């Protein structure tokens, strides 16, 4: 009973081109560790050398920015949708 | 042919060819256009630029397009207004408003960035252009796409006011509303851009789009007589324009169009959406996102991707930043309209309200040359001020009624010339 992770274009070379992959874990941190096992190299694209989410990476759990939740410690449960989206801006 | 050498990651420096790319594959940092400044220096002169049409393409050597520019032939080169009455009110002798309330064709600074983005979309061969926006960006994309003959999709949150939908649909754009807030819409659009291969002006064309914002700074410098102001106050939402104004000033010096000078750059945010100002005041680099709540909707971005660069530029330039409350924003809109006859949207009210604070703090001094950036038009956001202006008087169509009213208004003493 995995979670679904939506993968943005720049990371698809780690997922053999897949735009959505499965992963498991009960926190975002565990999900990212699990992603790394399945798709080696993806973790360091998302986390900086201190292990924090990179400045220009946004991660959403069921549409909520994890910076508003508990960041890497945000709880996830089976069937959750996780989106990885490059930070974008540009006004309204 | 252009003087562009490629794209480069602002974070890690990795280089990429010119393509519809916007994030670094290594670190997710934003990509920025690089130029060969030595060649530009040899190719431009003040006289050459002054002889050109009054539009943003007069600075084409410093913009990332290859072909002869056809999009936005009337965009840019908006007035730089010397504000004597507002200046007197604020105690500044040399106060200027850079007035993008009259940008063509959609009355905001977005006509600049979109002109460049859509020019680039055509060069790349896109036939559909798109954006996530509820306001100025949406109307600019829809209008420029119409004239360029491109298909256009605009994505907005479902709860947007009806007028905003009209403002894009009128140009023939397909408007799609999303059940969710602006951040949700943006997130979906990134995913759509990936899947459908459309040109999202502020996503996959973002490096080119943002270059258009430099023209705001180029014009300020040219219109001041090829010099930099001492101070410029710029609104901050996603963080596009402020770093690009700084880049514009730097480039003008680099290519010899401006000899010297340093401008202090100040950031203005609405208090209800001020994540960059919070970080600036706390002295930290980390910008904690906020959920926006302000009447200044056009700058209500709680998670500004380029906020970090705003902080960097403001600090390096010796500037500062402040946030203005909604009542302060409304007062400033009214002050600008009353003294200079310029009706700004709330983002402009924010910028002026913040400038007033900076003057009070003596960060902007009376003898310095100061430019306030007004990036959008108040006629688009009447609802923001409608509740805080005086109601008109209602009288019968009889002269005696008007005489009585005039007397009551206290101006009656002067109404005796006919007697």
């Amino acid at each position: 009973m995995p979670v679904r992770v939506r993968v943005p274009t720049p990371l698809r070379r780690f997922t053999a081109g897949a735009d959505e992959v499965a992963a498991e874990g009960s926190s975002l941190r565990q999900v990212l560790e699990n992603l790394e096992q399945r798709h080696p190299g993806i973790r360091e694209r998302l986390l900086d050398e201190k292990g924090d989410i990179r400045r220009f990476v946004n991660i959403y759990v069921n549409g909520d920015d994890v910076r508003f939740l508990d960041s890497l410690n945000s709880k996830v449960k089976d069937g959750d949708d996780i989106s990885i989206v490059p930070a974008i801006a540009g006004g309204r | 042919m252009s003087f562009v050498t490629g794209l480069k990651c602002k974070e890690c420096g990795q280089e990429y060819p010119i393509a519809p790319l916007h994030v670094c594959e290594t670190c997710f940092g934003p990509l920025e256009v690089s130029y060969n400044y030595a060649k530009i220096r040899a190719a431009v002169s003040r006289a050459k630029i002054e002889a050109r049409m009054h539009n943003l393409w007069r600075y084409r050597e410093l913009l990332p397009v290859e072909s002869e520019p056809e999009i936005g032939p009337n965009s840019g080169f908006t007035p730089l207004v010397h504000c004597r009455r507002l200046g007197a009110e604020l105690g500044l002798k040399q106060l200027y408003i850079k007035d993008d309330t009259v940008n063509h064709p959609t009355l905001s600074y977005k006509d600049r960035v979109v002109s460049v983005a859509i020019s680039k979309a055509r060069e790349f061969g896109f036939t559909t252009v798109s954006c996530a926006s509820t306001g100025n960006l949406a109307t600019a994309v829809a209008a420029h796409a119409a004239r360029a003959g491109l298909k256009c999709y605009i994505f907005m949150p479902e709860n947007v006011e009806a007028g905003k939908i009209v403002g894009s649909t009128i140009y023939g754009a397909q408007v799609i509303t999303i059940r969710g807030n602006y951040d949700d819409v943006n997130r979906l659009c990134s995913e759509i851009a990936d899947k459908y291969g459309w040109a999202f002006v502020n996503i996959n064309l973002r490096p080119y789009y943002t270059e258009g914002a430099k023209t705001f700074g180029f014009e300020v410098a040219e219109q001041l007589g090829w010099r930099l102001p001492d101070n410029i106050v710029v609104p901050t939402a996603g963080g596009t324009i402020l770093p690009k104004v700084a880049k514009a000033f730097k480039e003008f010096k680099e290519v010899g169009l401006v000899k010297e000078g340093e401008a202090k750059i100040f950031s203005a945010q609405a208090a209800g959406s001020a994540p960059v100002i919070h970080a600036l005041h706390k002295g930290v680099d980390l910008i904690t996102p906020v959920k926006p709540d302000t009447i200044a909707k056009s700058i209500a971005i709680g998670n500004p991707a380029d906020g970090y660069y705003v902080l960097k530029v403001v600090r390096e330039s010796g500037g500062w930043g402040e946030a203005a409350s909604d009542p302060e924003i409304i007062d400033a809109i009214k002050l600008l309209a009353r003294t200079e006859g310029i009706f700004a949207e709330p983002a402009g009210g924010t910028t002026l309200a913040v400038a007033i604070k900076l003057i009070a703090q003596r960060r902007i001094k009376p003898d310095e040359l100061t430019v306030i950036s007004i990036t959008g038009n108040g006629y688009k956001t009447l609802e923001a001020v409608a509740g805080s202006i005086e109601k008109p008087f209602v009288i019968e169509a009889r002269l005696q009624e008007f005489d009585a009213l005039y007397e009551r208004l206290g101006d009656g003493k002067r109404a005796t010339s006919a007697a």
Side-chain angles (χ1 to χ4, degrees):
Chain A
M1 288 268 283
V3 297
R4 291 187 303 166
V5 182
R6 287 203 52 85
V7 180
T9 311
L11 291 181
R12 288 185 197 156
R13 60 194 169 103
F14 298 101
T15 60
D19 61 359
E20 191 177 298
V21 296
E24 290 186 38
S26 59
S27 69
L28 179 61
R29 190 186 306 276
Q30 286 177 7
V31 168
L32 297 186
E33 289 303 332
N34 186 248
L35 264 188
E36 173 67 18
Q37 285 164 22
R38 296 174 185 217
H39 310 283
I42 202 164
R43 186 180 185 281
E44 75 154 319
R45 295 287 182 267
L46 300 174
L47 305 182
D48 64 20
E49 53 284 356
K50 284 186 280 180
D52 297 324
I53 298 173
R54 284 185 183 276
R55 183 182 293 142
F56 294 98
V57 174
N58 293 339
I59 302 180
Y60 301 83
V61 175
N62 297 328
D64 291 322
D65 187 333
V66 299
R67 291 186 175 94
F68 285 120
L69 303 172
D70 208 1
S71 197
L72 284 170
N73 297 321
S74 303
K75 294 272 173 279
V76 299
K77 57 185 189 308
D78 288 346
D80 277 358
D81 274 315
I82 296 178
S83 281
I84 301 168
V85 181
I88 51 167
R92 311 188 53 169
Chain B
M1 82 129 223
S2 78
F3 298 91
V4 171
T5 56
L7 295 175
K8 191 173 176 186
C9 175
K10 278 177 92 166
E11 285 292 289
C12 72
Q14 186 162 333
E15 294 184 5
Y16 295 87
I18 288 295
L21 292 172
H22 73 299
V23 287
C24 176
E25 289 184 4
T26 304
C27 74
F28 274 49
L31 302 182
E32 186 163 50
V33 178
S34 318
Y35 300 86
N36 184 329
Y37 292 119
K39 279 195 183 160
I40 295 174
R41 194 181 175 95
V44 297
S45 69
R46 292 176 179 179
K48 191 169 171 182
I49 291 170
E50 284 165 357
R52 288 179 177 161
M53 298 279 287
H54 282 178
N55 63 33
L56 61 91
W57 298 111
R58 62 206 269 111
Y59 313 106
R60 71 186 65 153
E61 287 85 353
L62 289 159
L63 294 170
V65 295
E66 302 297 322
S67 44
E68 190 59 26
E70 291 172 2
I71 311 293
N74 301 296
S75 300
F77 217 74
T78 56
L80 183 72
V81 181
H82 188 185
C83 294
R84 292 183 179 83
R85 277 171 44 78
L86 179 62
E89 192 105 1
L90 304 183
L92 299 186
K93 284 195 192 68
Q94 304 180 80
L95 175 65
Y96 293 83
I97 296 282
K98 178 60 176 168
D99 185 8
D100 264 14
T101 68
V102 290
N103 212 344
H104 186 276
T106 63
L107 309 176
S108 93
Y109 117 88
K110 290 294 184 336
D111 286 320
R112 303 174 180 278
V113 284
V114 170
S115 293
V116 177
I118 293 192
S119 299
K120 209 64 200 170
R122 287 225 298 205
E123 286 181 12
F124 285 136
F126 286 105
T127 54
T128 300
V129 294
S130 188
C131 69
S133 169
T134 59
N136 288 328
L137 179 59
T139 52
V141 170
H144 287 274
R147 195 165 187 278
L150 297 169
K151 271 198 228 117
C152 181
Y153 285 79
I154 306 285
F155 294 86
M156 297 182 180
E158 185 187 36
N159 64 1
V160 71
E161 302 90 327
K164 301 274 169 69
I165 295 173
V166 174
S168 296
T169 309
I170 196 72
Y171 298 106
Q174 178 68 59
V175 175
I176 292 154
T177 60
I178 312 292
R179 291 188 194 99
N181 63 25
Y182 182 70
D183 288 335
D184 296 325
V185 178
N186 247 335
R187 185 169 49 84
L188 175 68
C189 286
S190 287
E191 295 178 357
I192 293 172
D194 279 353
K195 180 161 184 179
Y196 286 80
W198 292 349
F200 275 77
V201 298
N202 58 339
I203 303 177
N204 50 359
L205 294 184
R206 184 165 170 70
Y208 313 99
Y209 164 96
T210 56
E211 283 293 284
K214 292 191 305 190
T215 62
F216 192 92
F218 292 151
E219 290 173 18
V220 166
E222 181 184 348
Q223 289 168 321
L224 286 173
W226 302 102
R227 58 163 290 191
L228 305 186
D230 296 313
N231 308 300
I232 183 163
V233 190
V234 186
T236 296
T240 302
I241 184 171
L242 187 147
K244 291 296 176 171
V245 166
K247 188 179 183 192
F249 291 168
K250 193 166 165 238
E251 286 183 341
F252 260 18
K253 287 199 281 188
E254 180 87 35
V255 303
L257 290 169
V258 162
K259 294 287 172 257
E260 57 196 3
E262 294 292 338
K264 289 193 179 112
I265 302 184
F266 296 89
S267 165
Q269 293 203 290
S273 182
V276 175
I277 300 302
H278 295 161
L280 179 71
H281 288 188
K282 274 195 273 181
V284 297
D285 279 347
L286 186 72
I287 292 168
T288 308
V290 299
K291 305 234 173 190
D293 177 17
T294 169
I295 56 159
K297 303 242 184 294
S298 71
I299 51 169
I301 294 180
N303 192 2
D306 283 340
Y308 169 72
Y309 297 111
V310 172
L311 283 176
K312 197 161 176 280
V313 163
V314 163
R315 285 173 177 149
E316 283 173 7
S317 78
W320 186 241
E322 285 293 342
S325 68
D326 285 358
E328 289 168 337
I329 291 168
I330 290 170
D331 284 349
I333 292 172
K334 290 158 83 173
L335 175 66
L336 179 60
R338 194 172 72 229
T339 55
E340 297 295 338
I342 295 170
F343 185 13
E345 64 166 15
T350 304
T351 312
L352 176 56
V354 163
I356 290 169
K357 292 187 181 200
L358 295 165
I359 293 163
Q361 294 170 357
R362 306 278 300 164
R363 291 179 196 272
I364 288 178
K365 299 192 178 61
D367 52 338
E368 292 173 336
L369 194 161
T370 299
V371 175
I372 295 175
S373 309
I374 301 293
T375 53
N377 194 307
Y379 289 111
K380 287 189 187 177
T381 52
L382 292 173
E383 72 285 353
V385 289
S388 50
I389 54 166
E390 287 180 28
K391 298 256 179 309
F393 293 98
V394 183
I395 58 171
E396 299 300 326
R398 284 198 303 272
L399 186 58
Q400 301 92 303
E401 284 223 10
F402 179 72
D403 289 342
L405 173 64
Y406 197 62
E407 200 67 40
R408 205 144 56 80
L409 289 173
D411 284 353
K413 287 185 290 298
R414 284 183 274 128
T416 52
S417 59

